[in-house]
Amino acid sequence: MARIIYSLIIVMAFSINAMAQTFTLQGKVTDRDNNPIELASVTVPSQNRLVMTNLKGEYSMEVQSADSVVVRFSMVGYKAKTRVLRNPKGKQTLLIQLFDDNTLQELQVVETVRQTGTTQQLDIKDIQNAPSASGNAVEDLIQSQAGVSTHSELSSQYNVRGGSFDENSLYINSVEVYRPFLVRSGQQEGLSAINPDMVEKILFSSGGFEAKYGDKMSSVLDITYKKPKDFEASISASLLGATAYMGFSTKKLSWINGVRYKTNRYLLGTLETKGEYNPNFLDYQTYLSYQPNKRWTFDIIGNINENHYNFKPEDRETKFGTMENVKSFKVYFDGQEKDLFRTYFGSVGITRHINDNTKISLIGSAFYTKESERYDIQGQYWLTQTETSENLGVGTYMDHTRNYLEANVQSLKLMFNTKIKKHSIEAGLTYKKEHIKENSREYEMRDSAGYSVPHTGNDLYMIYSLNAKNKLNANRFEGYIQDTWKFSSWGEHTFFTLNYGLRFSRWSFNGESILSPRVSLGIIPAFNHDVTFRIATGMYYQAPFFKELRDTTTINHITYATLNDKIKSQRSIHFIGGVDYRFRVKDLPYKFTAEIYYKALSNLVPYSVNNVKVVYYGENRCSGHSMGIDLKLYGQFVPGTDSWLSLSVMDTKMNLNGKSVPMPTDQRYAVNLFFTDYFPHTDRWKMSLKLAYADGLPFGAPHRELETNSFRAPAYKRVDIGMSYRALKNDDRHLKSIFKNIWLGIDGLNLLGINNVNSYYWITDVTSQQYAVPNYLTGRQINGRVLFEF
């Protein structure tokens, strides 16, 4: 009995001692203005203990006592703080104030920002010094994301979850920006509307986005230009172009300027069509922000973009088919092509800061584009079976185009933002005035073995002829209101972010009014703060603008394009579910993201895609769906560098004329890898690897109904690699030099020399036998570059 009592005393003593070894750590984390910082991390590294502050900035956790306990407080965008407690007991209260991290732009913090909505934040620095054939770094970054696809390294355009190029909206500093209308090939594309040197923040959503974003069905890309804290500048040059950037600031004013020049003549020399390529693309942008006091802010953005594409083809030889069945297509050309795309864009914004939480903005903007596409190209061709030298087809074709377009869009936008406790409310009204004038004439003549195709024996017809002379004058009124409500429950350890809103639009051209409700919910559960769940749904419309309106009628083998004022907006209902999981491997951060989606499509306007030219039917004729799953693993595969791997699987269908067919953008699978690494024991040598493997798109013979598309192009496969050497590292200004960094680089574009197919040229003989001749993209090429940062 005495032995039992003794044992109980020992157990109680150990229990009391164990209780004495723990203490309660509690407190609050605020910013410099004493505002609570929510979701800040409070960690005890030696004990692997982590809690996050609630919406009031408060925290509490049980911690094992020791001679010294190190506690770390951190939040993205703030300088971390560390506190050491000596022999802590009972309750310990720490009130911590975090200050802004002014060196944040030098750190790789992207995607450590917790994503609770459907919009993710990306960082342009992830692909700094990465190899690029297009020279448009932001679009290159978007094209490597899950759910996004492209099939041309020459183009900055992209498809998102089965949508067309035209279903993606672009905003720069809250103003919607438009792209040229007449571009039909990646060779013609110049510099995009985004200057990557001027970008501070990139927000991208592949579906389920907020009500503040306009009437597009697939995605939104929201760009914010930066306001530098000090003087900064850079100059870069390569075999594909050059850039210059300069920015500075004072207490009241910040001003940045960027100039870009691009010529892809060197790259186009690897195409199978040989000739004299003379493309020249020039872009200038400026952003000025003036804040005379804390109540007023004035912003001005200006952009001049001029793209010239001149081409005199000489000859082409393409071999295609299988190992046992090889065909050769030989062409000799006469003629030339001259294209011009001139764009002006500007905006002026005035913001009145009512108080620290409320502001009203008035933004006026104007977009003007003048485009011309002119070519007369004649080709004499021979199609031969190489094994037997049999002549399968011989003839002449001639393409003629005179396309002219002018567009002018003016808008006035009033915005209201306020924060009330746990709510962030935003509303906006926009009035747009649209004027577009088109004058187009196209025809294509084919002569096969001395007979004009199509051959009737009596009449002479072109295989294709189009006339279009249209004017559009319309007004568009848009409005939205949304609220982001952040709240917590279950002991204030489960966090919710609820975004809900309503969007309204009316267009005078067709008299249509549309209403678009949208809602999303993000949940950080109490059982694991490294997990985030997201669900979203909403009704999204693709409001017709110009391309979708062009309805065609064929009379006596001549097609006439007119504007259909009966057309309605295409509609897509999004259902999205996603999860993020953050974890560490060997103390390196990673994030795994998975999203499933289903889009119910109705009132669709069918379209065909040739290269990057989208041609619409001009009327609402079908319905359909798009569904799939997107997976992405992002993290530091190598310490100090960011890399990611994405996988997308998708299925699209549309019901057209009683037949279910895949949509023209039906890319069933895609894999993208972006990997960066440094040479061992040095940060001067950096390697960037880009890999893309994507399913080919369905296609069929031109000038036929989409339901006859019975072919699928080969998969798009491409590997680009870039090597960069930091010749000068002077970030901390330890050297007396005007340079901050000097980078030298060399890129291997299309490293494996794979012949990717972008489109097809169709040969028709006098017996109506058709042959699809592939148009291959660029081959293997080396690019050298240099970057000076001041």
Side-chain angles (χ1 to χ4, degrees), residues 150-154 692-696 714-718 756-757 777:
T150 182
H151 287 79
S152 174
E153 63 274 5
L154 294 173
Y693 188 94
D695 185 28
Y716 180 83
K717 299 164 287 216
R718 185 176 175 90
N756 287 305
V757 178
L777 286 163

Side-chain angles (χ1 to χ4, degrees), residues 18 30 67 97 104 108 124 150 205 220 233 236 304 346 426 434 469 477 562 595 609 615 714 720 722 735 749:
T30 60
D67 290 339
Q97 194 173 41
L104 185 62
Q108 294 194 4
I124 191 63
T150 182
S205 175
V220 60
S236 68
I304 301 174
E426 181 175 340
E434 303 163 351
K469 192 170 185 178
F477 179 78
T562 56
E595 278 196 357
V609 181
V615 179
D720 296 328
L735 298 176
L749 304 176

Side-chain angles (χ1 to χ4, degrees), residues 298-469:
F298 301 89
D299 295 302
I300 298 175
I301 294 180
N303 179 16
I304 301 174
N305 188 301
E306 182 145 330
N307 299 328
H308 292 263
Y309 178 75
N310 300 324
F311 175 45
K312 292 183 179 180
E314 295 175 356
D315 61 76
R316 164 184 174 175
E317 183 173 7
T318 302
K319 293 185 178 181
F320 61 100
T322 63
M323 295 292 292
E324 297 78 19
N325 183 14
V326 180
K327 294 179 176 61
S328 175
F329 180 63
K330 182 72 174 180
V331 189
Y332 293 97
F333 295 101
D334 288 313
Q336 63 179 334
E337 175 178 359
K338 288 188 175 183
D339 303 327
L340 169 65
F341 304 94
R342 179 179 293 137
T343 301
Y344 301 100
F345 170 75
S347 72
V348 177
I350 303 173
T351 300
R352 167 66 174 176
H353 303 271
I354 307 300
N355 53 49
D356 292 340
N357 295 323
T358 304
K359 65 179 180 179
I360 299 176
S361 301
L362 182 66
I363 304 174
S365 66
F367 167 84
Y368 173 78
T369 180
K370 183 176 182 180
E371 306 173 22
S372 64
E373 188 181 34
R374 300 170 295 164
Y375 59 81
D376 291 282
I377 296 178
Q378 176 180 277
Q380 297 177 335
Y381 67 85
W382 288 263
L383 182 64
T384 307
Q385 188 74 39
T386 58
E387 296 86 356
T388 62
S389 298
E390 177 187 359
N391 195 344
L392 301 177
V394 60
T396 301
Y397 70 84
M398 181 172 182
D399 290 334
H400 167 89
T401 291
R402 292 292 185 274
N403 292 337
Y404 303 95
L405 183 142
E406 285 189 34
N408 190 350
V409 180
Q410 301 168 353
S411 71
L412 188 65
K413 184 175 184 179
L414 178 66
M415 297 174 60
F416 172 79
N417 299 77
T418 188
K419 292 183 179 180
I420 304 174
K421 295 183 179 180
K422 300 178 181 180
H423 296 266
S424 295
I425 301 172
E426 181 175 340
L429 294 173
T430 304
Y431 175 74
K432 294 181 181 178
K433 205 172 178 183
E434 303 163 351
H435 173 74
I436 301 176
K437 182 171 65 175
E438 172 200 27
N439 190 358
S440 297
R441 180 77 171 94
E442 301 178 7
Y443 67 78
E444 181 180 352
M445 183 274 291
R446 293 189 191 175
D447 186 312
S448 178
Y451 295 91
S452 179
V453 179
H455 176 61
T456 65
N458 298 315
D459 301 312
L460 180 64
Y461 294 115
M462 301 294 176
I463 195 170
Y464 167 70
S465 180
L466 172 71
N467 281 342
K469 192 170 185 178

Side-chain angles (χ1 to χ4, degrees), residues 156-167:
S156 63
Q157 311 227 36
Y158 49 87
N159 308 109
V160 179
R161 292 178 174 175
S164 73
F165 302 138
D166 299 321
E167 295 177 19

